[in-house]
Amino acid sequence: MIDEKKFLLDILDEAGYTVMLRRFYMVNHRPERTKVEYISPNSGIIGSKANVILEGLRLPEDFIHPEDRQKLAESSIQARMTGEKVKNTIRMIADDTKLITVEFTSVFVEGDENEQLFEYIIKERPEPQTQTIPEILESEAAEPQDVDSFLSENKVLTIAQTITFFENLYSTFVTLDGKNLVRPVGPETYLGIFYDMFERPMYKELYGRILASFETSQTPFVSEMDDNMEGSYVSAAPIYMNGELVATWLICSYEKETSAKIGRISQNQWNIAKCISEYLDGIYANDGRTTRLSEIEKKLEAELSQKKVITTTLDEMRTDIDSAISNMMKDAGELLSIDSVAYYVADPGDAEAFILKDYWDVNSDEPDEFIMNEIWGIKKYVEKTSDERGLDGYIIDHESLTNQVRVEVFQGRARALLLYPVSMGSTIMGWLAFVNRKEERVWTEQEIGFTKELTRITARGLRKTIGEDSIKKTNQMLLETYNHVRACIFIKEDKTGTVLFSNDTLNKLLGYDFVGKDSRRLIQDLHDKFEDVKGMRKSGLDTGNVTHWRRYINAFDGIYDITQLKMNWDGNVPASCVILRIARD
C-alpha cells in the first residue's frame, strides 16, 4: 500500500521544492509574532533544517539575505491584497555562509485582521549562486566616483549587517546627513518603527549627539532613545575613509530582552567598524588593498564561523544534548586553535566538588592530571584575587598571568585559560574550561564573547534537560555520572521501596545487582522508623526534600553517613536517591 504522505514528500523533494506554512498574529495591522506551523523535511536544500525553524531556534528571516527581506515582506502583502500567487527571486544565506538564489512564491491561505496564514513555496534555481563572503568582497573592488555612492554600493556594509540579524537587532548605515546608505534590516516586529525613526525630529537631535561623541571619544556610543518606548536603545560606531568621518553604523533595539545585547555587542560593533574603515580606505585609495581585504575577510569569516557553531549546537541539542555539547567542544576548540576543552558537572557525592564529564583535546583521547584535578588550583587562586577585566568567570592570559600562577599552578602544562560557570539561576551546575598549552596568548573580546555564549548554551541545554518533560533524560545523565563515583548510590520508588537504580560501586560491594530488589533489605527508610530519633542532622539548605542521618548497616558491617534526596523518576513517580558513605568521624 502506498504511503500517500511519503509519496507527496518524495515528489516535492525530487522537484526541488520546499513548502512552509507560517501564521502571523497581527496587532494594529502589524505582525507582533509569528509561528511556523509546517515546513517540509527537505528544507536542507536551502541550507537550513526544518526542526530548527519549527523549534523556534531560527527564524526564516535568518536565512534570507538582508537586502531581500523587505522584498519578501512586500510580496506577502501583495499576495493577501490580490489573492494571487506572487513570485520573487531572492537570495538565501546557507549555514556554510554561501548565497543560494531561490524562487520564492508567496500564497495567502486565510486570515483576518488578527491572524493570517501564508504558504511559501521555495525552489532552488538550477544554477544557484555560490559566492562566498570573500568573493563578494572581491567583486566590490572597483573604485567609485563619490564617497556616498561607493559606500551604498559596497557590499561590505551589508555583510556587516548580517552579524546583527543573528541577535534580532535592527541595523543600518547612514550618511553624515543622517540618510540611509543601505536598506535598514531587522525583525518584522519593529521594522516599520525603525524606518520611521529617520523622519522624526528626535532622530536629528540624537544623531547630533552621536556625531559630537565621535569627536570627543574613542569608545562606542550607547544611549537610550527618546521615542517613548521603554527599553529602546541605540549603539553607534563611526566609519572613516582617509581619516575623515564618512558614515555611521547604527544598531537599535526596542525591547528590554534584546536591549541587553546592545551593551554586549557595542564593542564588537566598534571593532568591526574600524575593520570596515580600513578595508574601505584601502579599496578607495587602491593602496595596500590585498592586506586589508584579508584582514576584514578573516574577522567576518570568524564571526560567521562562530555563529555556525552556535546554531549547529542548538539544532543538535533538540535530539541529544550530551552529543551536541561534545561536538560543540570539538568545533570550538578547533575554531579557537586551542589545545583542550573540558566540561565539569556537579559531583553527586560532594556538593562542593565537580567532576569531569566530557573532554576534547587536539592531541590526546585521555585527559591529564591538570584537566582532571589541578585546574581547580587556578580557580582557588583567582578567587583570592580581583578579576581586573571585570568579566564573569576566570580569564587567565598573557595580560593577567602572574609569575605565581606560571610557577606554582600552570607549571608549563597550560599557558592560557578561560573557565566559566555553567549556571541555572544562582546555582552553579558545572564549569566549562578552554585551555591553551602551546603558548601564552591574549584572549580577544571576540573569543571571550564566543566562549561565554557557548557556556550559556550549555546551561540552556541543562535547563532543557531538566524541563519540558525531560526528567527521564536528566535521570539518565545522573545515572551515568553515579556509576563513576565512589559513594554507594541507589534510587528507590517511595511507595514500594523497589530499587530502580543502583550504581556499580554498590553492586560490587553487595556482590549482586541491587536493581529490582526491596531496598529495605539494605536499609529502612528514615521516615519509617527514625523520624523522631534525636541527633538526626538536616542540611542548612533543607526544604524537606533532603535529609541526613547516620546508622549501622548490617550488610556492610559498618557505620555509614546517609543522604536521602526526594525526586521524581521517569515522569512523576515519587522516588528517593540514597547516597551511602563510610562514616569518617
Side-chain angles (χ1 to χ4, degrees):
M1 184 176 180
I2 296 177
D3 185 332
E4 182 178 351
K5 181 180 178 181
K6 183 177 184 303
F7 179 71
L8 292 174
L9 288 175
D10 288 343
I11 292 176
L12 286 172
D13 199 11
E14 185 68 25
Y17 287 101
T18 295
V19 178
M20 178 173 66
L21 287 176
R22 190 178 192 188
R23 188 175 297 276
F24 293 81
Y25 299 89
M26 314 297 290
V27 175
N28 296 328
H29 306 290
R30 291 184 178 180
E32 183 179 60
R33 61 187 180 90
T34 69
K35 179 182 179 182
V36 176
E37 297 188 345
Y38 173 79
I39 183 168
S40 53
N42 63 332
S43 60
I45 66 171
I46 59 172
S48 62
K49 295 181 180 178
N51 291 330
V52 180
I53 297 176
L54 290 170
E55 290 281 335
L57 300 175
R58 297 289 296 273
L59 295 173
E61 287 83 359
D62 292 345
F63 298 97
I64 298 175
H65 193 286
E67 289 186 353
D68 293 344
R69 292 180 194 168
Q70 185 63 24
K71 184 193 300 184
L72 179 61
E74 291 170 354
S75 68
S76 298
I77 295 173
Q78 185 179 350
R80 182 175 184 271
M81 297 296 293
T82 64
E84 298 178 354
K85 297 179 181 179
V86 179
K87 290 187 177 181
N88 263 309
T89 299
I90 65 173
R91 294 163 294 173
M92 306 195 75
I93 303 173
D95 290 338
D96 58 5
T97 75
K98 288 187 176 181
L99 291 179
I100 300 175
T101 302
V102 300
E103 293 178 357
F104 209 105
T105 302
S106 302
V107 182
F108 176 68
V109 179
E110 62 181 10
D112 52 29
E113 293 183 354
N114 298 319
E115 292 185 20
Q116 297 173 10
L117 181 64
F118 288 85
E119 178 184 28
Y120 298 103
I121 304 170
I122 310 163
K123 179 177 173 60
E124 186 175 353
R125 287 177 55 171
E127 296 181 359
Q129 297 178 6
T130 56
Q131 285 183 292
T132 61
I133 298 300
E135 289 170 342
I136 296 173
L137 293 171
E138 195 71 46
S139 68
E140 299 299 326
E143 182 174 310
Q145 294 183 352
D146 65 87
V147 173
D148 283 355
S149 62
F150 168 65
L151 290 172
S152 62
E153 294 171 3
N154 199 291
K155 292 297 188 296
V156 70
L157 301 186
T158 302
I159 293 169
Q161 285 183 298
T162 63
I163 297 170
T164 60
F165 79 70
F166 282 108
E167 301 286 0
N168 288 325
L169 298 170
Y170 299 80
S171 174
T172 190
F173 288 81
V174 297
T175 66
L176 295 182
D177 296 328
K179 298 179 181 179
N180 282 301
L181 280 167
V182 296
R183 187 191 301 274
V185 299
E188 295 175 0
T189 310
Y190 298 103
L191 192 58
I193 296 176
F194 187 47
Y195 267 87
D196 294 341
M197 180 183 76
F198 304 101
E199 305 299 328
R200 300 175 63 183
M202 57 77 60
Y203 171 67
K204 294 182 179 180
E205 187 275 334
L206 175 63
Y207 194 51
R209 289 196 291 122
I210 291 173
L211 295 179
S213 74
F214 293 161
E215 296 178 358
T216 59
S217 175
Q218 291 299 309
T219 58
F221 177 92
V222 179
S223 173
E224 290 186 78
M225 293 189 289
D226 186 18
D227 56 1
N228 298 320
M229 293 186 65
E230 184 179 358
S232 61
Y233 275 80
V234 61
S235 175
I239 303 296
Y240 293 94
M241 287 180 59
N242 293 328
E244 294 184 4
L245 180 67
V246 294
T248 302
W249 183 9
L250 300 177
I251 297 178
C252 298
S253 172
Y254 295 95
E255 296 178 331
K256 288 184 178 180
E257 181 178 351
T258 52
S259 292
K261 302 176 183 178
I262 291 285
R264 175 165 57 85
I265 71 169
S266 60
Q267 188 61 52
N268 287 339
Q269 177 193 10
W270 185 275
N271 294 335
I272 294 172
K274 289 175 62 177
C275 294
I276 291 174
S277 297
E278 293 178 6
Y279 166 72
L280 296 176
D281 200 16
I283 296 295
Y284 193 79
N286 198 25
D287 179 27
R289 173 178 169 279
T290 303
T291 301
R292 290 184 175 90
L293 178 61
S294 176
E295 290 176 356
I296 190 64
E297 284 176 9
K298 290 179 180 178
K299 289 183 180 293
L300 292 177
E301 290 283 9
E303 285 275 357
L304 292 170
S305 296
Q306 290 172 4
K307 293 297 183 184
K308 183 177 180 181
V309 172
I310 291 170
T311 54
T312 299
T313 303
L314 290 172
D315 176 27
E316 293 178 351
M317 272 187 170
R318 68 173 306 277
T319 55
D320 190 332
I321 291 176
D322 286 345
S323 176
I325 293 176
S326 182
N327 293 336
M328 177 195 76
M329 292 165 60
K330 176 180 181 296
D331 293 341
E334 293 175 347
L335 186 59
L336 293 169
S337 298
I338 59 177
D339 299 287
S340 303
V341 183
Y343 176 34
Y344 305 86
V345 295
D347 185 345
D350 185 347
E352 300 296 324
F354 295 87
I355 57 177
L356 184 67
K357 177 175 176 60
D358 203 355
Y359 170 76
W360 171 84
D361 188 273
V362 67
N363 294 317
S364 174
D365 294 331
E366 296 294 330
D368 59 11
E369 183 63 20
F370 176 80
I371 292 294
M372 289 294 293
N373 298 306
E374 295 176 9
I375 197 170
W376 303 113
I378 298 171
K379 177 178 177 293
K380 292 177 181 178
Y381 170 81
V382 179
E383 285 175 344
K384 296 178 182 179
T385 63
S386 62
D387 184 0
E388 296 179 358
R389 304 181 73 169
L391 297 168
D392 296 332
Y394 306 96
I395 290 85
I396 303 292
D397 60 11
H398 182 71
E399 288 186 352
S400 58
L401 190 60
T402 65
N403 287 331
Q404 182 178 357
V405 173
R406 284 190 181 95
V407 175
E408 298 180 10
V409 183
F410 276 178
Q411 299 181 2
R413 288 167 294 188
R415 301 184 185 278
L417 169 71
L418 294 171
L419 183 61
Y420 300 116
V422 179
S423 303
M424 292 181 61
S426 60
T427 303
I428 297 178
M429 304 294 292
W431 293 87
L432 199 59
F434 301 85
V435 183
N436 200 54
R437 302 175 187 274
K438 297 185 291 291
E439 58 187 3
E440 292 185 10
R441 65 188 288 173
V442 176
W443 301 108
T444 68
E445 295 301 324
Q446 185 185 58
E447 291 170 338
I448 292 172
F450 174 52
T451 50
K452 287 173 71 67
E453 181 63 24
L454 295 183
T455 306
R456 284 190 286 269
I457 289 174
T458 303
R460 188 183 308 175
L462 280 178
R463 287 195 295 271
K464 185 176 178 63
T465 299
I466 293 173
E468 295 181 356
D469 71 2
S470 58
I471 293 176
K472 184 176 180 179
K473 290 184 179 179
T474 305
N475 289 339
Q476 185 59 41
M477 181 182 69
L478 292 173
L479 301 187
E480 292 174 0
T481 305
Y482 290 162
N483 276 325
H484 297 281
V485 299
R486 296 178 180 178
C488 295
I489 300 174
F490 68 87
I491 297 174
K492 68 180 184 67
E493 185 179 350
D494 285 345
K495 185 176 181 180
T496 65
T498 302
V499 176
L500 303 169
F501 165 83
S502 59
N503 71 343
D504 291 344
T505 303
L506 178 59
N507 291 338
K508 289 177 181 178
L509 194 60
L510 289 171
Y512 58 86
D513 189 348
F514 199 37
V515 174
K517 305 296 191 299
D518 188 341
S519 61
R520 288 168 290 194
R521 293 174 52 183
L522 181 64
I523 183 173
Q524 293 281 354
D525 189 286
L526 171 67
H527 299 289
D528 287 343
K529 293 186 176 182
F530 299 95
E531 188 170 11
D532 298 322
V533 173
K534 294 182 179 181
M536 183 181 72
R537 294 176 289 119
K538 288 194 174 185
S539 168
L541 298 177
D542 186 12
T543 61
N545 292 325
V546 182
T547 52
H548 303 271
W549 79 100
R550 174 179 290 183
R551 67 159 297 177
Y552 177 80
I553 298 179
N554 293 329
F556 300 151
D557 191 23
I559 299 175
Y560 278 73
D561 285 327
I562 303 167
T563 301
Q564 180 170 312
L565 305 91
K566 294 294 182 181
M567 61 180 293
N568 286 327
W569 174 265
D570 196 14
N572 291 314
V573 178
S576 295
C577 176
V578 181
I579 303 173
L580 310 174
R581 304 183 194 87
I582 298 176
R584 297 298 184 185
D585 52 13

